Structure formats: structure tokens, C-alpha cells
Amino acid sequence: RVECGCAMAPSRWSPFQTLARLVYRRPVLVYCLALLVPALLAIGVAQYDVRIDTGILSFRARDEPYAVTYDAVLAALQWGKQHTRYSSGPPAPPASTNAPPAVPDVERLQSHVTYWLTTVYETHPPGGNVLEQSKLDFIKRVELAVTSVAGFASFCKKVPTQRAWDLDREACGHWVPPGTQDACSSTLCSTPMSLISFEQFIRTWFEQLASQALLAPNATVAIQETRAELVALGFSEQQAIAFARALVDQPEIAQSFQELPLVDLLKLVPKGALTKDLFRIGHEPGWFFDRFYATGVGEGGENTRDDDTNANPDSSQSNRPSPHAVALRSGFEFALPLPGYATATDRREEQDVLYRKWAASYTKMFEPGGYWEREAAKAGMRVLHAGGGISEDEAGALVLGDLKFAAGAFGLVFVCILVYTRSAWVTTNAVLGVALAFPSAFFFVRATSDSKFVSFLNVLVPFVLIGIGCDDAMVMCDAFKAASSKRGGKGLPSEDAFVTHFACAAKAMLATSLTTAVAFGSNVFSYIPPVRSLGLYAASTVVANYVLVLTLLPAALLIESNGFRETASTALAFWKARNAKYQALGAEVELQQVERVEVLQTTRGGSLTNTSEEIDVQVHVSNGDAKEQDTGPSAVVGWSESMDAVTKPGDHHGTFSRVATEALGKFVIARRVGILFFSAVSVLIASAVVANGLVVAETPPPLLRPDTNLQRIQHLLFDVFYTENWSNVRVAFGVKGVDRSSADPNDPMSFGTPVFDENFDFKDARVQRGVLAACDVIKNNARVLAFTKSAGPEECVLQAFVRDFTAGSQSSDTSGDTGSNVSHSSSGNASDSSGNVPGSITWGPALPVALAAWSATEGRAWRENLGWSGYEGRSALTFITADYFVDLHPVSSTSSEIRAVHAAWQRVILEANAAMAAAVAIGTRDATEGTEGVDAGSARDATGIDDEGIDEGSMHDGTRSSDIKPPVVFQACDVWNRLGVEESIRHTAWVSPPVSFVAAAVITFGATGSARVTAAALVTIACAVVLMLAALVAVGWQFGVVEELCVTLLIGASIDYCIHLAVAYAEAGAVGLTRDTMSDCAEDTNDTQGIGGIGTQDAHDTQGIRGYSQGAGDVTHSQAASSASPSDGSRPRREEKLKSALTNSAPTITGAATTTAVSCAMLLFCEVEVLVKIGATIVANTVAGYVLTLGLFSALVATVGD
């Protein structure tokens, strides 16, 4: 751009001038350093361990209470796995203090299920019937191929054969003594959980049903027994009687079941029979089918089966409808430890690497275009897959695969810049500078964060920043062309001209770079780590790109202008004759001073030439002293005319762009009232749309495109298959917080160090009863806590422990207290005078030992809920957790459903804490009165706790209950994090945009010095954001994490265009200058010292024109005289400034908008759906911001500008 400040002599000293002189005098050195430093930083990045995180767990508000409590529980569980040592058999205290610890058990090889693999089969196109014999045969082939993959037996779950189990149960158990991991004589890979495997269960069951009927003493008994079995299976009473009579009267029917095809066999299974685990295979048979077939109810709630059609097993095939299912699935289990490892947790990362390396060979089976995809197409099927470790690696590969579109974006931007500059050398270096900014910025982000995990959202940065970065490159190219125009537009510009235009361009780019960096950096206020990481990386990239544009690109421009051979020879001469070069530079400076004197003499003689040295016409250099010169009106007029020639609009842009921008200026000026009115109406309508339609997203956004393997299988598993949606709510005792100082904020599996509750002393009987009382409260409120129907017991470890022992005592001691049950055991009703449960449990220090022994045998399912500080039973029980399963899914459940269940849990946990406090306080009769804030009466009513039957002698060391504070009870669940994300979105929406707008206002005002221009820019940016929000609402988008990110990106992408035009408008003034404007433009303190003390220029007094302006007030420019009249001078001056600004900056703005739109358009082809949505938003915003800048902003400054 050629603007007033740029066309004049350099202003007072600035670091930009020093940098410009360094680049001008040492272009080769600067160029090499600008390439070398980013290259070294890129090599430095390669030394770091970098992993892409694609997990949904990362998208949580890490600083919200939901995430803090969740991390506290998981940190405690991790701590427990690291510290708890399982012994071989129950310990036998008392043991001497010096006795060696028991020898820890190890796990039998491949006995601990650690990974799973689900294979889903659906018809292609979707909606067909997968229960056709040809399709079932294809599924059998696929299952056989999976189990035949090389190495399958090295990772599958190994189960002992019945013969091996009978021979040596100890060696074939799960936990075995050291050295016997592979002592079991015979093991096999577990059978895949699939319909093909289930088929044999069905046939065997029907055969056993017929055999039982034959063994009955008579037909009546046979019919009754068979009817009872069928009713239990799910047959109606009428169906069961008819079926039983048929089996008794015609025994040969049972044999026909063995010969029936699977499709016909399924016709006999009634609705509801598939929703019960009758065959004890670990889950309901309906697990294999879609939910509509399994339940007999279609999507709309209609019954999809006719009860009368399958009432009789021998009814004709024509009367029975063919079974119809849209999808089936199979499940494969893989287990640890592998050979060489003691347990599944022993050096887990190493075992994970081995498994994932093998799993990669499995996933290659179903690569697009592979053998099995072609075979599936022939069968009208599609095979999908997902699994632990496999899905994460596949998602990471898709994210990295989308980077190939970034290469396409660079290619398209290269073409755009090539058309703009018409120089392959300049274009290559412009794009290269932007490309080098990414590894440079990433190095600093990676080095400062010390986190090896990088969110997949960072892949977005190259697409967005390539367009924004090339904007700066175009500005620098325009400044260089303007500096060269003083020598006819060709050849190397003079040093002064280069320094002047370099400093002006650097100032303009600094304004745009700062506002863009602040807009992106405002994401650091988000509580979501991936969003914070993206904001920091994007802001760092903007800064790195700015530095490279000030070094690499101008050096490349100078090298090309000076000629490659000449530059090379000059650089070589510099290294060979350094002193001679300094002498030459000194002589050149002296020559420039002599030339300035000659120009001054020519000016005093009445002729003023249009050369690059015209800017020094008003000063005279003599022995380093600056003296004012007598100048008259003719000199000012001549100076203004020469300035008009130098800054003639469009000199360094093409003729077409000059004509187009002039036409644009005339149109905006003529139609500015209509533009303002139309914009105001549009914004009002958009505001109404946003106010009425903007809602917070209820569900997380999809990660990938709907047709990708992972996204499609997620849809089938969550929405199509008969799968119970559940989430795990963990209740913790003995944990009160987490220390995250050592945790990696970007690692979803790094939780920190647990902070344990010092009041949780589980050897104290009061604490033991308090835990039991809190668990009773939770169980008594099961109806309001949304427990699932079949996802585990609704009790904690201590309740199960008491239940097992009280059940045994009741069967052996009929004189025991009939009130000794789980719900009242915490009150003391089940205790004798010593405070013990009759015949089994002793409250106090002995209870942890008994609990450890029980958890090693009957209570093994609760073993991992006990966090011991060392060997179980021999060390302190540091914490206890309880697992409850609620009917919520982390992905498909809505925020409203989650919020309702969370509120219920919060209320119950408050009651549980009250029950804990009451149980602790009830040890002495006066403790309840001293327990502040606890209503003991209400607690007794809620939990059944009574203060009778407690013997003070059973209390720990006889301590009064007032001397102990009750331990804290709290709950955590991964699905609660969704609520934290919503709160983070609201928080960021209130913080990030205002920060970006304030920064834009300050920077714009600093760059323009005009409050009016700054206000016009902010109004334009706000209108762009409102219009884009209305567009998002109109297309049905809800405000979630992606939309929050889009808003900050919108602000960052909209600011640049306005600031470019705002700076151009503020500095425009080559036509119609007033005296004040001329004195401001002419202000010059060019006291710059060259590199190494060479090329020192004398200071120039700036009072030449200023003194003339103040002393010759009766002499003014023709338009300056008219500027005092608002009716005549104010409007034309705004119009002329706008025309000049549009002419000088519109081509650059157009180029910047084009490169941004082109680069972000490549996001539309990505597999990651999040990137697609952001790409579409940025492309639309680029168009809107470009149009509003040239339309609305121009109309505003033409109306109310300075």
C-alpha cells in the first residue's frame, strides 16, 4: 500500500526501521537464518513424543467440579492398582511383625479380559434383512477369517477345557502362584459371542427340552414342566401350552429342530425371549440383534410380530412370517497378561503396544477396496468394526489423513499468490514462510506445555492460518512494490524507500496479527483442554508467521530485485572482503548526503523533480545541524503534486483492479444510505433469529462423517442394537480431592494424585457403620437414582459383605435377631452386647481383615473397590469405592436427562453424608447434640439408624465420637462432565468475544488514531458475527463446543479485513490535505544509525513544513482552505479518503479473503465432521466479512469518518 505515512520519509525511530536496514543490507544472511531457525525448531519437534488425542473424554471442562471429583475417584483407583498387593490366599493374623509378606499371586496367561472387538454386519444399502441364509453364511466366513488371523491365539482370551479344570483347578484358575502362569494343561480361545455361536445354544436347548419331556413320569407332568420352561423363555400361556403338547405328543419334532435352518429356527422364538439371559452366556440373546427384532417392537412402537403365527411349532412355514433384522453383531474378547508379564497391569503400555501392533493386521482385513469389502458388496452387506485400542488408532489415522487436504490448501493458495505477484520465487517464499510458521509455533507450544498429547483440533490450524498468513505476505509484497515504484517499479529500491515502506507495512501487519492472535488466544479462557490447546497453538502460529513475513519474505524480494547472481556475488564479496564492504557503504552514505544537497539547491531554484529524494526537500544538512528553509506556497503545492504522483492510486496494482476499486468507491459513496439501512435491517432480523433460536446443544457433536466406519458403527450400537444405555456412577469413601500438579492436562488418562480423607479410619467401628449407613441411603433411593435394570448389583462392598455373612448366620442360628439385615445392620440392631453381628462380623479393628479374606473368595467381584496401602488385609484400607450403573449414555443421552439424574444423585449424597455423620456421632448418647448441622432424627428416619445396642467398649480406643469428624462421601460420573462442558461454553461465550472486541478496539485505535474509524470497524465486526450466528441457527445448528470455537474463529477471521481498510482510510490523505495533516505527515526525526556504526545519517529538524504551516497561516492548499466548511469540505474529504483507501487496500483485502476461503474450503473434504463444520463456517464468514468490510464499513466511514 502507498499511504501518506508510507510515502513520506521514515517517522521517528522504530525497531522496524532497524530490522528493515538489516534486511536491506544483509538479505542473504537474513534469508538463510529465516530458513535455518524454523528448520532447527522442526527438528526439535521431532525429538518429542507426540500423540494425537481423539477421545471424547478430552472434551470436558477440566476445572469444573464435575471433572475434579471424577479425576479424584479415578486417581484413587489408579493409586490403588499401584499400591494394593493381592496375597495368595487369605492372610492369617495375628502374625509376627518380622514375618515375611505373603507371596503375591500372578494372573494366568491371557485370562484377564482387557480388549474387545465388535464386528457389525448390516445390509447395504441399510434397511434390508440380514437374517437371510446367504447373508448368514457370509457372516460365518467373516468370523472364521477373524479367528484365523495370524497371531489371534496369542491375544485371545484363554479358557481352560473342562478336563483341564477338573484335573487342576488351582493351575487353571484366574490367579495362580508365581511360576505357574502356563501350568494349565489345556486352554482354548473363548468362543466368539455371535449369532452363529448362539445358534448351537438354541438347538441344544430345544433338544434338552424334548429330552426332559420324555423323562417325565407321565404326559401331564411333561406338559406342565415344558410349559413352565416355555413361559420362562417368554412364550405366552397359550403358546406355551400348545408348544408343550406338541413336543409331548410328537417327540420327533425335537429332532427336526436339529435340521431346521437358522432362519426357520428363529421363527419359533417369541418376542421377549431374546431379552433374558436364559442360556447364561453373560448377556441377553437380543445382544446379537437390532433392538426392534429383539423386543418385537418397531421404531414407531408398533408390534412387528404376530403372536398367533408362532404359537404352534408344527404350523406350516407359509403361515409364519420370515424374521427380519437390519443388523447383527459379533463380539471377540482379548486378554492379558502376555508371556513375560505377571499381571494385566504389569508394564501395561508395553502390552498395549504389542496388542495394537497385532490389531493393525486385523483392521487391514476391512480396508476400503480390500477383499472383504468386495465380498461384502457381492453379498449385499457391509462389515463394520470397533474395539478398544483399534478405534482410537483408526480415528488418529483419519485425522492425520485429513492433513493431505492441507497440502491441497497450500497448492491452491500458491496459485492465488502466484496470480497476485506474478513471481514464482516470491510465491514460493511466501508460502514457505507460512509453512515454516507451523513447526516453529508447535515447538514452543510443545516445549512449554510438556504434554505429549495433542488434540485433533490442532489439525484445523494449517487450514485457517494458511489464508490468514498469506494476507501478511501480500501486504509485504505491496509495500515492496510501492518502494520500487520510485524507481519506475523495477530494480532494487533505495534503502530509505525500503525502510519507509517496510516500517509502514510492519505496523499495519502488527495490528492485524495482534488482533487475530488475541482472538484465537481468547480460547485459553475455555475450561476444555482441546479448545485451549487450539487457541494457544493458533495464536503462536500467527506470531511466528508475522516474524517470518518480516524476515524471510522481504529478504527474498530483495534477492530477486537485485538479481540472483548479483546477490550471490555481493554476499561472497562480503565474506571475502568485509572491511572493503564497510568502506563502500560509508562512501555510499556520503554520496547520498551530497545528492540531498543538490536536490535542495534544485528546489530553491524553482524546479522540483519527482524522485525518491523529494521527501527531504524541506531540510538542509550541514555538518550534522538541521536548519529550517524558507519555503513558500509554491513549494507546498509542488510537494503535494509530487506526493500525488508518487501515491497515485493503483500504481502497483493492475489496471483492472484500479478501475474496479474506483467503481466500488463511487458505488459505496452514492449508495451509502441504502447500504446502512439494509445492513441495519438485516442485523435486526438476524438478532431476532439468534435470540429466539439459539439453544445449547443437548448432545456431543459427531466426530466423523456419518458414512465412516467408526461413526456408522457408533450409530448402530447406540441407536439400533438392543443395548442398555448406562453410565457408571462411582461413590467414594476416604477420598476428598485430587492434586493435579503432576497431571498432564492434555492427557485424558492423567488424573493426578489423590488426596485422601484423614478422617477415614476404617479400623474405627463408627466409620464402618457410617459407610454402611451411607450405602443404605443410596440403596433405599434406588427408584429415583435411575438405576439400570440389569447392569450390576445395587449395593456397595460393605453391604455385600454383611449380606453374605448375615445370610449364613441366619441359616445356622435360628435364635438370632430377625432384624439382622443389610438395611438395618448399620444401626446396631444386628449387634449383640459387644457390637458384633451374631456369629460372623466383629465391628472394629478386626473387620478389615475379615473383609480382605471375603474379597479374595466370595467377594472377588468387589475386590477392586478396596484400596489398600499395601498387602490386602495387612495394611490400612485407604479408601472404598462403590459402583452404581444408571440409565444414561455418555453420547446419546441429552443434557436435560443428565441434569435431572445428577440432581437426584446430589440430593441422595447429601442424605448419605448426613447418615455418615449420624452413624459416627451415635457412638455416645450426647454426640448427636454436638454434631452441628446434622439432624439425627431425620437421618434415623431415612436410614433406619438407631442409637440403641451400641457398646462404647467397641469404639476405637474408647474415643468419644465428638473427637472424630465424619468422613466425606461424594460421587462422580463421566457423564456429568457433559454438564461441565455446557458451563464452559457459557463461560467462554461471555469472556472470549468481549476480550477479542476490546483487543480489536485498542489495537485499531492505536493503529488509526481515530475513535470514529475504530467504532466503525467494531460495528462491522459485530454485524458479521451476528449475521453468521443467525446463519448457523437457520441451518439448525445448536450451540456446542464446535459452535463456540467457530465464534472465536469468526472474530479472528473478520478483524483483518476491517483493520486493513481502517488503517488505509486513516492514513489516506494524498489528496485534499489540510495544513495539520501535512505537518503530521512531514514529521521526521530520521536519526538512524546503520549496522555496526556505518551509514549514520544526521538528524533532520521537522519544523520545515510545520513552521511554514504555523507562520504562513494565510497561505493554504486549495482544499485545505475549504475544509473549514462542513458542507463543502468535510464530505468530499471523506469521499476522497475512502476512494484512496479502497484503491490501495481493496486488492490486498480481496487477495486475503480469496486465500482464506480457498484454504478453508479444503476442510469440506475432510473425514472429521468437526473440521467440516468449522470449514463451512469460516468460508461463509470470509465471504460475509469481505462484503461487509467493503460495503458496510466503507459506508460508515464515508458517512461518519474523520
Side-chain angles (χ1 to χ4, degrees), residues 105-235:
D105 280 344
V106 296
E107 291 181 282
R108 181 171 50 81
L109 293 180
Q110 297 173 236
S111 61
H112 188 131
V113 176
T114 311
Y115 311 102
W116 51 270
L117 171 65
T118 298
T119 307
V120 174
Y121 317 94
E122 70 166 339
T123 59
H124 189 71
N129 184 16
V130 73
L131 295 179
E132 297 177 357
Q133 195 60 47
S134 60
K135 293 180 173 57
L136 294 176
D137 292 339
F138 171 77
I139 294 174
K140 290 181 180 179
R141 293 174 54 200
V142 173
E143 289 188 3
L144 180 61
V146 171
T147 56
S148 301
V149 172
F152 181 87
S154 300
F155 296 92
C156 68
K157 177 190 175 183
K158 292 292 185 67
V159 294
T161 61
Q162 186 63 44
R163 177 179 174 82
W165 174 257
D166 294 337
L167 290 175
D168 192 348
R169 294 194 174 190
E170 182 180 7
C172 295
H174 179 70
W175 292 92
V176 297
T180 62
Q181 282 185 294
D182 56 352
C184 189
S185 59
S186 178
T187 58
L188 298 173
C189 288
S190 61
T191 304
M193 297 178 293
S194 68
L195 178 61
I196 309 305
S197 303
F198 178 62
E199 175 184 357
Q200 189 58 42
F201 285 108
I202 300 177
R203 298 185 188 277
T204 302
W205 184 83
F206 275 121
E207 183 179 0
Q208 292 176 350
L209 196 64
S211 301
Q212 291 176 3
L214 294 175
L215 295 177
N218 53 61
T220 301
V221 175
I223 292 175
Q224 291 178 349
E225 292 179 350
T226 304
R227 180 199 63 80
E229 289 278 352
L230 294 172
V231 169
L233 181 63
F235 283 78

Side-chain angles (χ1 to χ4, degrees), residues 1098-1118:
D1098 295 330
H1100 300 297
D1101 195 340
T1102 64
Q1103 299 302 316
I1105 294 180
R1106 184 180 302 276
Y1108 163 77
S1109 300
Q1110 295 174 352
D1114 55 334
V1115 181
T1116 61
H1117 193 277
S1118 58

